[in-house]
Amino acid sequence: MRALKFCLLAWFCLAACAAARAAVVVIAPHPDDGEASCGGLIANAAAAGERVVILTMTGGELGIPGRGAAEARAIRAEEARRGAEALGAEAAFFGAVDGSLEVTAETVEKLKKMLTDFDPGVVLAPWPLDVHPDHQASGLLAWRVFHDKSFRFELYFYETSNMPHTKTFQFFPTHYVDVTDTMKLKQKALYEHKSQLPQAWFDMYRVIAGFRGYEADTGFAEAYLRARNYSSLGGRAPVVRKTLGD
């Protein structure tokens, strides 16, 4: 299985060709989603010297009971900066409002502009069949941009979980990343989001990482699903590789 499920990090090491270019952009629907779902991969890539940007799509305004939208947004933005810093990444913000992110011509064009500026080799986005509408919209926005022929990044979807328990519908990974050595750093980064009480739900992500690690024959792993693009869909021409590792 491991021969078929090669680590994304090896590809990332070839993806960045200039210091200003982001090797990886993680599209996070809310502050903390990037660390919770992709924290181990982010830490791995940053440790390898890659530039990683966590692009948070909404301000998480609905995430702190008893706080107004502006106050909650400010608190969560600062937590996002600290969480990203703990992993060696950068924080960036799309500017949408929690619970209101939509896939429109305007939001697609805005994401295109931001990704043009970052010029990533790899983009990570939530699986569009997630149960949360902001997660759905984030994944679909990435999917829409991915079909633009002017971009050359690889798109991978990631899985999330929400309390008390939800299942991301039919998420079947194509790739696994070994995060055994970075689970503690992932937890540290997630715990910077103090307003979200991560100590109450981090174990859920630990269980997921343990399960994915079992599948990948390692201690802990994060799972990803590689998106495919076809010229028949109006997107980029497919690249057929001669080996699995190319």
Side-chain angles (χ1 to χ4, degrees), residues 178-240:
D178 186 347
V179 299
T180 305
D181 295 335
T182 50
M183 278 297 291
K184 289 184 178 179
L185 190 55
K186 174 174 178 168
Q187 179 176 355
K188 177 183 177 182
L190 195 56
Y191 273 46
E192 293 292 345
H193 296 267
K194 295 181 174 60
S195 70
Q196 301 307 292
L197 305 177
Q199 65 275 13
W201 49 268
F202 175 74
D203 281 345
M204 175 172 53
Y205 279 91
R206 189 190 302 276
V207 168
I208 293 172
F211 173 70
R212 295 306 187 188
Y214 175 80
E215 290 182 324
D217 194 24
T218 189
F220 292 100
E222 292 169 350
Y224 297 89
L225 192 159
R226 183 183 177 187
R228 300 301 298 270
N229 201 333
Y230 299 94
S231 57
S232 60
L233 298 177
R236 292 173 269 168
V239 176
V240 180

Short mmCIF file of all heavy atoms in Angstrom, two decimals, residues 178-240:
data_model
loop_
_atom_site.label_atom_id
_atom_site.label_comp_id
_atom_site.label_asym_id
_atom_site.label_seq_id
_atom_site.Cartn_x
_atom_site.Cartn_y
_atom_site.Cartn_z
N ASP A 178 2.83 11.13 6.28
CA ASP A 178 3.25 10.68 7.60
C ASP A 178 3.44 11.90 8.51
O ASP A 178 4.32 12.73 8.26
CB ASP A 178 4.54 9.89 7.48
CG ASP A 178 4.97 9.26 8.80
OD1 ASP A 178 4.42 9.60 9.87
OD2 ASP A 178 5.88 8.42 8.76
N VAL A 179 2.63 12.01 9.56
CA VAL A 179 2.73 13.15 10.48
C VAL A 179 3.08 12.68 11.89
O VAL A 179 2.86 13.41 12.86
CB VAL A 179 1.42 13.98 10.48
CG1 VAL A 179 1.14 14.54 9.10
CG2 VAL A 179 0.24 13.16 10.98
N THR A 180 3.64 11.49 11.99
CA THR A 180 3.97 10.93 13.30
C THR A 180 4.87 11.87 14.10
O THR A 180 4.66 12.08 15.30
CB THR A 180 4.66 9.56 13.13
OG1 THR A 180 3.84 8.70 12.33
CG2 THR A 180 4.89 8.91 14.49
N ASP A 181 5.85 12.44 13.43
CA ASP A 181 6.83 13.29 14.13
C ASP A 181 6.32 14.70 14.38
O ASP A 181 6.99 15.47 15.10
CB ASP A 181 8.13 13.37 13.32
CG ASP A 181 8.83 12.02 13.22
OD1 ASP A 181 8.61 11.18 14.11
OD2 ASP A 181 9.57 11.81 12.25
N THR A 182 5.21 15.07 13.79
CA THR A 182 4.73 16.45 13.93
C THR A 182 3.36 16.55 14.62
O THR A 182 2.77 17.63 14.64
CB THR A 182 4.66 17.16 12.56
OG1 THR A 182 3.95 16.33 11.62
CG2 THR A 182 6.05 17.43 12.02
N MET A 183 2.87 15.45 15.19
CA MET A 183 1.57 15.49 15.86
C MET A 183 1.59 16.44 17.06
O MET A 183 0.63 17.17 17.31
CB MET A 183 1.15 14.10 16.31
CG MET A 183 0.50 13.27 15.21
SD MET A 183 -1.06 13.98 14.60
CE MET A 183 -2.14 13.75 16.03
N LYS A 184 2.69 16.46 17.81
CA LYS A 184 2.76 17.35 18.98
C LYS A 184 2.77 18.81 18.54
O LYS A 184 2.14 19.66 19.18
CB LYS A 184 4.01 17.04 19.82
CG LYS A 184 3.91 15.72 20.57
CD LYS A 184 5.12 15.51 21.46
CE LYS A 184 4.99 14.21 22.25
NZ LYS A 184 6.18 13.96 23.12
N LEU A 185 3.46 19.10 17.45
CA LEU A 185 3.48 20.47 16.93
C LEU A 185 2.11 20.86 16.37
O LEU A 185 1.66 21.99 16.54
CB LEU A 185 4.55 20.59 15.85
CG LEU A 185 4.88 22.00 15.36
CD1 LEU A 185 5.25 22.91 16.52
CD2 LEU A 185 5.99 21.95 14.33
N LYS A 186 1.44 19.91 15.73
CA LYS A 186 0.08 20.14 15.25
C LYS A 186 -0.84 20.50 16.42
O LYS A 186 -1.62 21.44 16.35
CB LYS A 186 -0.42 18.89 14.53
CG LYS A 186 -1.88 18.93 14.10
CD LYS A 186 -2.22 17.70 13.26
CE LYS A 186 -3.68 17.69 12.85
NZ LYS A 186 -3.97 16.68 11.81
N GLN A 187 -0.72 19.75 17.52
CA GLN A 187 -1.53 20.04 18.69
C GLN A 187 -1.19 21.40 19.27
O GLN A 187 -2.09 22.18 19.63
CB GLN A 187 -1.32 18.95 19.75
CG GLN A 187 -2.13 19.19 21.02
CD GLN A 187 -1.98 18.05 22.02
OE1 GLN A 187 -1.35 17.04 21.73
NE2 GLN A 187 -2.55 18.22 23.19
N LYS A 188 0.09 21.72 19.34
CA LYS A 188 0.49 23.02 19.87
C LYS A 188 -0.10 24.16 19.05
O LYS A 188 -0.62 25.14 19.61
CB LYS A 188 2.02 23.13 19.87
CG LYS A 188 2.54 24.48 20.35
CD LYS A 188 4.06 24.55 20.26
CE LYS A 188 4.56 25.92 20.68
NZ LYS A 188 6.04 26.03 20.57
N ALA A 189 -0.05 24.03 17.73
CA ALA A 189 -0.60 25.08 16.87
C ALA A 189 -2.11 25.21 17.04
O ALA A 189 -2.65 26.32 17.12
CB ALA A 189 -0.26 24.77 15.41
N LEU A 190 -2.78 24.08 17.13
CA LEU A 190 -4.24 24.11 17.29
C LEU A 190 -4.64 24.70 18.63
O LEU A 190 -5.65 25.41 18.75
CB LEU A 190 -4.79 22.70 17.14
CG LEU A 190 -6.29 22.58 16.93
CD1 LEU A 190 -6.74 23.38 15.72
CD2 LEU A 190 -6.68 21.12 16.78
N TYR A 191 -3.82 24.47 19.64
CA TYR A 191 -4.12 25.00 20.98
C TYR A 191 -3.93 26.51 21.06
O TYR A 191 -4.30 27.13 22.07
CB TYR A 191 -3.29 24.28 22.03
CG TYR A 191 -3.92 23.00 22.53
CD1 TYR A 191 -4.47 22.08 21.63
CD2 TYR A 191 -3.97 22.69 23.87
CE1 TYR A 191 -5.04 20.92 22.08
CE2 TYR A 191 -4.56 21.52 24.33
CZ TYR A 191 -5.09 20.64 23.42
OH TYR A 191 -5.68 19.47 23.87
N GLU A 192 -3.35 27.11 20.02
CA GLU A 192 -3.30 28.57 19.98
C GLU A 192 -4.69 29.17 19.74
O GLU A 192 -4.91 30.35 20.02
CB GLU A 192 -2.35 29.04 18.87
CG GLU A 192 -0.89 28.71 19.10
CD GLU A 192 -0.29 29.49 20.26
OE1 GLU A 192 -0.91 30.49 20.72
OE2 GLU A 192 0.80 29.12 20.72
N HIS A 193 -5.61 28.36 19.27
CA HIS A 193 -6.99 28.81 19.05
C HIS A 193 -7.79 28.62 20.34
O HIS A 193 -8.75 27.84 20.39
CB HIS A 193 -7.61 28.05 17.88
CG HIS A 193 -6.93 28.30 16.58
ND1 HIS A 193 -7.35 29.28 15.70
CD2 HIS A 193 -5.84 27.72 16.01
CE1 HIS A 193 -6.57 29.27 14.63
NE2 HIS A 193 -5.63 28.36 14.80
N LYS A 194 -7.39 29.34 21.35
CA LYS A 194 -7.95 29.15 22.69
C LYS A 194 -9.46 29.39 22.74
O LYS A 194 -10.17 28.75 23.51
CB LYS A 194 -7.23 30.06 23.69
CG LYS A 194 -5.77 29.74 23.90
CD LYS A 194 -5.14 30.67 24.92
CE LYS A 194 -3.70 30.28 25.26
NZ LYS A 194 -2.83 30.31 24.08
N SER A 195 -9.95 30.31 21.93
CA SER A 195 -11.38 30.63 21.97
C SER A 195 -12.24 29.45 21.53
O SER A 195 -13.44 29.40 21.81
CB SER A 195 -11.67 31.82 21.06
OG SER A 195 -11.52 31.48 19.69
N GLN A 196 -11.63 28.48 20.84
CA GLN A 196 -12.38 27.33 20.32
C GLN A 196 -12.31 26.11 21.24
O GLN A 196 -12.83 25.04 20.88
CB GLN A 196 -11.87 26.97 18.94
CG GLN A 196 -11.98 28.10 17.94
CD GLN A 196 -13.38 28.67 17.88
OE1 GLN A 196 -14.31 28.00 17.42
NE2 GLN A 196 -13.55 29.90 18.36
N LEU A 197 -11.68 26.25 22.39
CA LEU A 197 -11.57 25.16 23.36
C LEU A 197 -11.08 23.87 22.71
O LEU A 197 -11.73 22.81 22.80
CB LEU A 197 -12.91 24.93 24.05
CG LEU A 197 -13.55 26.15 24.72
CD1 LEU A 197 -14.91 25.80 25.30
CD2 LEU A 197 -12.62 26.72 25.79
N PRO A 198 -9.94 23.89 22.04
CA PRO A 198 -9.48 22.71 21.29
C PRO A 198 -9.22 21.49 22.16
O PRO A 198 -9.26 20.36 21.66
CB PRO A 198 -8.21 23.21 20.61
CG PRO A 198 -7.73 24.34 21.47
CD PRO A 198 -8.97 25.00 21.97
N GLN A 199 -8.96 21.71 23.45
CA GLN A 199 -8.73 20.57 24.32
C GLN A 199 -9.95 19.66 24.40
O GLN A 199 -9.83 18.48 24.76
CB GLN A 199 -8.33 21.04 25.72
CG GLN A 199 -9.39 21.80 26.48
CD GLN A 199 -9.41 23.29 26.16
OE1 GLN A 199 -8.79 23.73 25.19
NE2 GLN A 199 -10.10 24.06 26.98
N ALA A 200 -11.11 20.18 24.04
CA ALA A 200 -12.33 19.39 24.10
C ALA A 200 -12.53 18.52 22.87
O ALA A 200 -13.33 17.57 22.91
CB ALA A 200 -13.55 20.31 24.28
N TRP A 201 -11.82 18.82 21.78
CA TRP A 201 -12.07 18.06 20.55
C TRP A 201 -10.83 17.66 19.76
O TRP A 201 -10.95 16.97 18.75
CB TRP A 201 -13.02 18.83 19.62
CG TRP A 201 -12.67 20.28 19.39
CD1 TRP A 201 -13.11 21.36 20.09
CD2 TRP A 201 -11.80 20.81 18.36
NE1 TRP A 201 -12.57 22.52 19.57
CE2 TRP A 201 -11.78 22.22 18.52
CE3 TRP A 201 -11.07 20.23 17.33
CZ2 TRP A 201 -11.03 23.05 17.69
CZ3 TRP A 201 -10.32 21.05 16.50
CH2 TRP A 201 -10.32 22.45 16.67
N PHE A 202 -9.64 18.02 20.25
CA PHE A 202 -8.44 17.61 19.50
C PHE A 202 -8.31 16.10 19.42
O PHE A 202 -7.82 15.56 18.40
CB PHE A 202 -7.18 18.21 20.12
CG PHE A 202 -5.92 17.72 19.46
CD1 PHE A 202 -5.57 18.18 18.20
CD2 PHE A 202 -5.11 16.78 20.07
CE1 PHE A 202 -4.42 17.72 17.56
CE2 PHE A 202 -3.95 16.32 19.45
CZ PHE A 202 -3.61 16.80 18.19
N ASP A 203 -8.74 15.39 20.46
CA ASP A 203 -8.60 13.93 20.44
C ASP A 203 -9.34 13.30 19.26
O ASP A 203 -8.95 12.22 18.80
CB ASP A 203 -9.11 13.33 21.76
CG ASP A 203 -8.10 13.47 22.89
OD1 ASP A 203 -6.92 13.77 22.59
OD2 ASP A 203 -8.48 13.27 24.05
N MET A 204 -10.39 13.97 18.78
CA MET A 204 -11.11 13.47 17.62
C MET A 204 -10.17 13.43 16.41
O MET A 204 -10.17 12.47 15.63
CB MET A 204 -12.31 14.36 17.35
CG MET A 204 -13.11 14.06 16.12
SD MET A 204 -14.61 15.06 16.07
CE MET A 204 -13.95 16.72 16.30
N TYR A 205 -9.36 14.48 16.25
CA TYR A 205 -8.42 14.52 15.15
C TYR A 205 -7.25 13.56 15.37
O TYR A 205 -6.68 13.04 14.41
CB TYR A 205 -7.93 15.94 14.93
CG TYR A 205 -8.92 16.75 14.13
CD1 TYR A 205 -9.90 17.50 14.75
CD2 TYR A 205 -8.89 16.75 12.74
CE1 TYR A 205 -10.84 18.23 14.02
CE2 TYR A 205 -9.80 17.47 11.99
CZ TYR A 205 -10.78 18.21 12.65
OH TYR A 205 -11.69 18.90 11.91
N ARG A 206 -6.92 13.32 16.62
CA ARG A 206 -5.89 12.33 16.91
C ARG A 206 -6.35 10.92 16.50
O ARG A 206 -5.58 10.13 15.94
CB ARG A 206 -5.53 12.34 18.40
CG ARG A 206 -4.31 11.49 18.72
CD ARG A 206 -4.14 11.33 20.22
NE ARG A 206 -4.03 12.60 20.90
CZ ARG A 206 -2.90 13.28 21.02
NH1 ARG A 206 -1.79 12.80 20.49
NH2 ARG A 206 -2.88 14.41 21.67
N VAL A 207 -7.62 10.64 16.76
CA VAL A 207 -8.18 9.35 16.36
C VAL A 207 -8.16 9.20 14.84
O VAL A 207 -7.79 8.15 14.30
CB VAL A 207 -9.62 9.18 16.91
CG1 VAL A 207 -10.31 7.99 16.27
CG2 VAL A 207 -9.59 9.03 18.42
N ILE A 208 -8.56 10.27 14.14
CA ILE A 208 -8.55 10.23 12.67
C ILE A 208 -7.12 9.98 12.16
O ILE A 208 -6.90 9.16 11.26
CB ILE A 208 -9.11 11.54 12.10
CG1 ILE A 208 -10.60 11.67 12.42
CG2 ILE A 208 -8.88 11.59 10.58
CD1 ILE A 208 -11.18 13.02 12.05
N ALA A 209 -6.15 10.70 12.75
CA ALA A 209 -4.76 10.53 12.32
C ALA A 209 -4.25 9.13 12.62
O ALA A 209 -3.46 8.57 11.86
CB ALA A 209 -3.87 11.58 12.99
N GLY A 210 -4.70 8.56 13.73
CA GLY A 210 -4.32 7.19 14.04
C GLY A 210 -4.90 6.19 13.06
O GLY A 210 -4.23 5.25 12.62
N PHE A 211 -6.16 6.39 12.70
CA PHE A 211 -6.81 5.53 11.72
C PHE A 211 -6.13 5.62 10.36
O PHE A 211 -5.86 4.60 9.70
CB PHE A 211 -8.29 5.90 11.61
CG PHE A 211 -9.03 5.18 10.52
CD1 PHE A 211 -9.31 3.83 10.62
CD2 PHE A 211 -9.43 5.86 9.38
CE1 PHE A 211 -9.98 3.17 9.61
CE2 PHE A 211 -10.10 5.21 8.36
CZ PHE A 211 -10.37 3.86 8.47
N ARG A 212 -5.86 6.86 9.92
CA ARG A 212 -5.18 7.03 8.64
C ARG A 212 -3.75 6.49 8.70
O ARG A 212 -3.23 5.97 7.71
CB ARG A 212 -5.18 8.50 8.23
CG ARG A 212 -6.56 9.08 7.96
CD ARG A 212 -7.34 8.27 6.95
NE ARG A 212 -8.60 8.92 6.57
CZ ARG A 212 -9.53 8.35 5.82
NH1 ARG A 212 -9.37 7.11 5.39
NH2 ARG A 212 -10.64 9.00 5.52
N GLY A 213 -3.12 6.60 9.86
CA GLY A 213 -1.80 6.01 10.02
C GLY A 213 -1.83 4.50 9.88
O GLY A 213 -0.93 3.90 9.29
N TYR A 214 -2.88 3.89 10.42
CA TYR A 214 -3.05 2.44 10.28
C TYR A 214 -3.17 2.06 8.80
O TYR A 214 -2.55 1.10 8.34
CB TYR A 214 -4.28 1.99 11.05
CG TYR A 214 -4.62 0.52 10.89
CD1 TYR A 214 -3.93 -0.45 11.61
CD2 TYR A 214 -5.61 0.12 10.00
CE1 TYR A 214 -4.22 -1.80 11.46
CE2 TYR A 214 -5.91 -1.22 9.84
CZ TYR A 214 -5.22 -2.18 10.57
OH TYR A 214 -5.52 -3.51 10.41
N GLU A 215 -3.95 2.85 8.06
CA GLU A 215 -4.12 2.58 6.63
C GLU A 215 -2.80 2.72 5.88
O GLU A 215 -2.53 1.98 4.93
CB GLU A 215 -5.13 3.55 6.02
CG GLU A 215 -6.56 3.33 6.45
CD GLU A 215 -7.51 4.29 5.76
OE1 GLU A 215 -7.13 5.46 5.54
OE2 GLU A 215 -8.65 3.87 5.47
N ALA A 216 -1.98 3.69 6.30
CA ALA A 216 -0.73 3.99 5.60
C ALA A 216 0.47 3.25 6.19
O ALA A 216 1.60 3.47 5.73
CB ALA A 216 -0.47 5.49 5.62
N ASP A 217 0.23 2.43 7.20
CA ASP A 217 1.30 1.65 7.82
C ASP A 217 2.34 2.55 8.47
O ASP A 217 3.55 2.36 8.32
CB ASP A 217 1.96 0.73 6.79
CG ASP A 217 2.83 -0.34 7.43
OD1 ASP A 217 2.59 -0.68 8.61
OD2 ASP A 217 3.77 -0.83 6.77
N THR A 218 1.85 3.54 9.22
CA THR A 218 2.74 4.40 10.00
C THR A 218 2.01 4.79 11.28
O THR A 218 0.87 4.37 11.51
CB THR A 218 3.15 5.64 9.18
OG1 THR A 218 4.18 6.35 9.89
CG2 THR A 218 1.98 6.57 8.93
N GLY A 219 2.65 5.57 12.14
CA GLY A 219 2.02 5.92 13.42
C GLY A 219 0.80 6.80 13.25
O GLY A 219 -0.33 6.44 13.63
N PHE A 220 1.01 8.00 12.70
CA PHE A 220 -0.08 8.94 12.44
C PHE A 220 0.06 9.45 11.01
O PHE A 220 1.16 9.65 10.51
CB PHE A 220 -0.04 10.12 13.41
CG PHE A 220 -0.35 9.76 14.83
CD1 PHE A 220 0.66 9.57 15.76
CD2 PHE A 220 -1.67 9.61 15.25
CE1 PHE A 220 0.38 9.24 17.07
CE2 PHE A 220 -1.96 9.27 16.56
CZ PHE A 220 -0.94 9.08 17.48
N ALA A 221 -1.07 9.69 10.38
CA ALA A 221 -1.04 10.20 9.01
C ALA A 221 -2.22 11.13 8.78
O ALA A 221 -3.24 11.07 9.47
CB ALA A 221 -1.07 9.05 8.00
N GLU A 222 -2.07 12.02 7.80
CA GLU A 222 -3.17 12.82 7.27
C GLU A 222 -3.47 12.32 5.88
O GLU A 222 -2.57 11.94 5.13
CB GLU A 222 -2.81 14.30 7.25
CG GLU A 222 -2.67 14.90 8.64
CD GLU A 222 -2.07 16.29 8.63
OE1 GLU A 222 -1.57 16.74 7.57
OE2 GLU A 222 -2.06 16.92 9.70
N ALA A 223 -4.75 12.31 5.53
CA ALA A 223 -5.19 11.74 4.26
C ALA A 223 -5.64 12.85 3.31
O ALA A 223 -6.27 13.83 3.73
CB ALA A 223 -6.33 10.76 4.49
N TYR A 224 -5.33 12.68 2.04
CA TYR A 224 -5.67 13.67 1.01
C TYR A 224 -6.19 12.96 -0.24
O TYR A 224 -5.83 11.81 -0.52
CB TYR A 224 -4.44 14.52 0.68
CG TYR A 224 -3.95 15.31 1.86
CD1 TYR A 224 -3.03 14.77 2.75
CD2 TYR A 224 -4.47 16.57 2.13
CE1 TYR A 224 -2.61 15.48 3.87
CE2 TYR A 224 -4.05 17.29 3.24
CZ TYR A 224 -3.12 16.74 4.11
OH TYR A 224 -2.73 17.44 5.22
N LEU A 225 -7.01 13.68 -0.97
CA LEU A 225 -7.57 13.15 -2.21
C LEU A 225 -7.17 14.08 -3.35
O LEU A 225 -7.52 15.26 -3.34
CB LEU A 225 -9.10 13.04 -2.10
CG LEU A 225 -9.85 12.26 -3.18
CD1 LEU A 225 -11.21 11.83 -2.66
CD2 LEU A 225 -10.05 13.09 -4.45
N ARG A 226 -6.44 13.55 -4.29
CA ARG A 226 -5.94 14.38 -5.38
C ARG A 226 -7.04 14.65 -6.41
O ARG A 226 -7.69 13.73 -6.90
CB ARG A 226 -4.75 13.70 -6.07
CG ARG A 226 -4.13 14.55 -7.18
CD ARG A 226 -3.01 13.81 -7.86
NE ARG A 226 -2.47 14.60 -8.96
CZ ARG A 226 -1.58 14.15 -9.83
NH1 ARG A 226 -1.12 12.92 -9.72
NH2 ARG A 226 -1.14 14.92 -10.80
N ALA A 227 -7.25 15.92 -6.73
CA ALA A 227 -8.22 16.30 -7.76
C ALA A 227 -7.60 16.08 -9.13
O ALA A 227 -6.40 16.25 -9.32
CB ALA A 227 -8.62 17.76 -7.59
N ARG A 228 -8.44 15.72 -10.08
CA ARG A 228 -7.99 15.52 -11.44
C ARG A 228 -8.68 16.50 -12.37
O ARG A 228 -9.84 16.87 -12.16
CB ARG A 228 -8.30 14.08 -11.90
CG ARG A 228 -7.63 13.01 -11.05
CD ARG A 228 -6.11 13.14 -11.03
NE ARG A 228 -5.54 12.98 -12.35
CZ ARG A 228 -5.15 11.82 -12.86
NH1 ARG A 228 -5.27 10.71 -12.16
NH2 ARG A 228 -4.64 11.76 -14.07
N ASN A 229 -7.97 16.92 -13.39
CA ASN A 229 -8.49 17.91 -14.32
C ASN A 229 -8.40 17.35 -15.73
O ASN A 229 -7.44 16.66 -16.08
CB ASN A 229 -7.65 19.19 -14.21
CG ASN A 229 -8.39 20.40 -14.73
OD1 ASN A 229 -9.24 20.29 -15.58
ND2 ASN A 229 -8.04 21.56 -14.20
N TYR A 230 -9.37 17.67 -16.55
CA TYR A 230 -9.41 17.14 -17.90
C TYR A 230 -9.78 18.25 -18.88
O TYR A 230 -10.66 19.07 -18.60
CB TYR A 230 -10.42 15.99 -18.01
CG TYR A 230 -10.08 14.83 -17.11
CD1 TYR A 230 -10.64 14.72 -15.84
CD2 TYR A 230 -9.16 13.87 -17.52
CE1 TYR A 230 -10.31 13.66 -15.01
CE2 TYR A 230 -8.82 12.81 -16.69
CZ TYR A 230 -9.41 12.70 -15.44
OH TYR A 230 -9.07 11.67 -14.61
N SER A 231 -9.14 18.23 -20.04
CA SER A 231 -9.42 19.26 -21.03
C SER A 231 -10.85 19.19 -21.51
O SER A 231 -11.43 20.19 -21.94
CB SER A 231 -8.45 19.11 -22.21
OG SER A 231 -8.54 17.81 -22.78
N SER A 232 -11.47 18.00 -21.44
CA SER A 232 -12.86 17.86 -21.89
C SER A 232 -13.83 18.62 -21.00
O SER A 232 -14.96 18.90 -21.38
CB SER A 232 -13.25 16.38 -21.92
OG SER A 232 -13.12 15.80 -20.63
N LEU A 233 -13.38 18.96 -19.79
CA LEU A 233 -14.20 19.73 -18.86
C LEU A 233 -13.91 21.22 -18.98
O LEU A 233 -14.40 22.02 -18.18
CB LEU A 233 -13.95 19.29 -17.41
CG LEU A 233 -14.30 17.84 -17.08
CD1 LEU A 233 -13.92 17.53 -15.63
CD2 LEU A 233 -15.79 17.59 -17.30
N GLY A 234 -13.13 21.60 -19.96
CA GLY A 234 -12.78 23.01 -20.13
C GLY A 234 -11.57 23.41 -19.32
O GLY A 234 -11.22 24.58 -19.24
N GLY A 235 -10.92 22.44 -18.73
CA GLY A 235 -9.76 22.73 -17.89
C GLY A 235 -8.46 22.41 -18.59
O GLY A 235 -8.36 22.47 -19.82
N ARG A 236 -7.47 22.05 -17.81
CA ARG A 236 -6.14 21.79 -18.34
C ARG A 236 -6.05 20.38 -18.93
O ARG A 236 -6.75 19.47 -18.52
CB ARG A 236 -5.12 21.93 -17.22
CG ARG A 236 -4.98 23.35 -16.72
CD ARG A 236 -4.09 23.39 -15.50
NE ARG A 236 -4.88 23.26 -14.28
CZ ARG A 236 -4.35 23.03 -13.10
NH1 ARG A 236 -3.07 22.87 -12.97
NH2 ARG A 236 -5.12 22.94 -12.04
N ALA A 237 -5.20 20.23 -19.90
CA ALA A 237 -4.99 18.90 -20.47
C ALA A 237 -4.38 17.99 -19.42
O ALA A 237 -3.55 18.41 -18.61
CB ALA A 237 -4.06 19.02 -21.68
N PRO A 238 -4.76 16.73 -19.39
CA PRO A 238 -4.23 15.82 -18.38
C PRO A 238 -2.76 15.50 -18.62
O PRO A 238 -2.29 15.53 -19.76
CB PRO A 238 -5.11 14.56 -18.55
CG PRO A 238 -5.53 14.61 -19.98
CD PRO A 238 -5.72 16.07 -20.28
N VAL A 239 -2.07 15.21 -17.55
CA VAL A 239 -0.67 14.79 -17.64
C VAL A 239 -0.63 13.32 -17.25
O VAL A 239 -0.94 12.97 -16.12
CB VAL A 239 0.24 15.61 -16.72
CG1 VAL A 239 1.68 15.09 -16.77
CG2 VAL A 239 0.19 17.09 -17.11
N VAL A 240 -0.25 12.47 -18.16
CA VAL A 240 -0.16 11.04 -17.89
C VAL A 240 1.29 10.72 -17.59
O VAL A 240 2.18 10.89 -18.43
CB VAL A 240 -0.66 10.21 -19.09
CG1 VAL A 240 -0.54 8.72 -18.77
CG2 VAL A 240 -2.09 10.58 -19.43
#
